[in-house]
Protein backbone atom coordinates (compact mmCIF):
# COMPACT_ATOMS: atom_id res chain seq x y z
CA UNK A 1 0.00 0.00 0.00
CA UNK A 2 1.52 3.30 -1.06
CA UNK A 3 1.23 6.52 0.91
CA UNK A 4 1.15 9.89 -0.79
CA UNK A 5 3.57 12.51 0.50
CA UNK A 6 0.68 14.87 1.27
CA UNK A 7 -0.89 12.19 3.50
CA UNK A 8 2.09 12.40 5.82
CA UNK A 9 1.16 15.96 6.72
CA UNK A 10 -2.59 15.49 7.04
CA UNK A 11 -3.94 13.03 9.57
CA UNK A 12 -7.01 11.00 8.69
CA UNK A 13 -9.99 11.44 10.96
CA UNK A 14 -11.28 8.60 13.12
CA UNK A 15 -14.22 8.20 10.72
CA UNK A 16 -11.85 7.89 7.74
CA UNK A 17 -9.81 5.28 9.57
CA UNK A 18 -12.98 3.34 10.43
CA UNK A 19 -14.05 3.43 6.78
CA UNK A 20 -10.63 2.09 5.73
CA UNK A 21 -10.81 -0.69 8.31
CA UNK A 22 -14.27 -1.70 7.08
CA UNK A 23 -13.10 -1.60 3.45
CA UNK A 24 -10.08 -3.75 4.31
CA UNK A 25 -12.26 -6.29 6.11
CA UNK A 26 -14.73 -6.40 3.22
CA UNK A 27 -11.88 -6.86 0.74
CA UNK A 28 -10.85 -9.93 2.74
CA UNK A 29 -14.31 -11.46 2.58
CA UNK A 30 -15.68 -10.53 5.99
CA UNK A 31 -19.32 -9.45 6.17
CA UNK A 32 -18.77 -6.48 8.45
CA UNK A 33 -22.01 -4.72 7.55
CA UNK A 34 -24.11 -7.74 8.59
CA UNK A 35 -23.04 -7.61 12.24
CA UNK A 36 -25.46 -6.68 14.98
CA UNK A 37 -24.67 -3.33 16.61
CA UNK A 38 -23.14 -3.65 20.05
CA UNK A 39 -21.85 -7.20 19.71
CA UNK A 40 -18.14 -7.71 20.41
CA UNK A 41 -17.34 -8.40 16.76
CA UNK A 42 -18.86 -5.04 15.77
CA UNK A 43 -17.18 -3.20 18.63
CA UNK A 44 -13.73 -4.36 17.49
CA UNK A 45 -14.04 -2.18 14.40
CA UNK A 46 -14.39 0.85 16.68
CA UNK A 47 -11.55 -0.32 18.94
CA UNK A 48 -9.18 -0.84 16.01
CA UNK A 49 -10.09 2.54 14.50
CA UNK A 50 -9.51 4.40 17.75
CA UNK A 51 -6.23 2.60 18.41
CA UNK A 52 -4.89 3.48 14.96
CA UNK A 53 -6.06 7.08 15.40
CA UNK A 54 -4.37 7.39 18.79
CA UNK A 55 -1.14 5.88 17.50
CA UNK A 56 -0.94 7.83 14.25
CA UNK A 57 -1.88 11.20 15.70
CA UNK A 58 1.04 11.32 18.06
CA UNK A 59 4.55 9.96 17.80
CA UNK A 60 4.40 8.56 14.28
CA UNK A 61 3.37 11.85 12.71
CA UNK A 62 5.84 13.84 14.78
CA UNK A 63 8.67 11.52 13.73
CA UNK A 64 7.75 11.66 10.05
CA UNK A 65 7.41 15.44 10.06
CA UNK A 66 10.70 15.88 11.87
CA UNK A 67 12.54 13.58 9.49
CA UNK A 68 11.37 15.32 6.33
CA UNK A 69 11.80 18.83 7.68
CA UNK A 70 15.38 18.08 8.76
CA UNK A 71 16.24 16.97 5.24
CA UNK A 72 14.38 19.75 3.44
CA UNK A 73 16.37 22.29 1.47
CA UNK A 74 15.40 25.57 -0.10
CA UNK A 75 15.62 25.26 -3.91
Amino acid sequence: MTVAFSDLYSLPTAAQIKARVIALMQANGLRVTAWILGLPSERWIEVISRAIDAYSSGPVTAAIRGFFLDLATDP
Side-chain angles (χ1 to χ4, degrees), residues 17-60:
I17 293 172
K18 186 174 181 178
R20 288 181 187 177
V21 169
I22 289 173
L24 180 65
M25 290 178 159
Q26 287 175 331
N28 286 304
L30 297 173
R31 296 180 354 194
V32 295
T33 56
W35 292 344
I36 298 172
L37 296 176
L39 287 180
S41 53
E42 186 269 336
R43 297 303 302 158
W44 273 107
I45 294 175
E46 189 68 31
V47 170
I48 292 169
S49 302
R50 289 183 185 204
I52 292 171
D53 183 45
Y55 181 72
S56 66
S57 64
V60 171

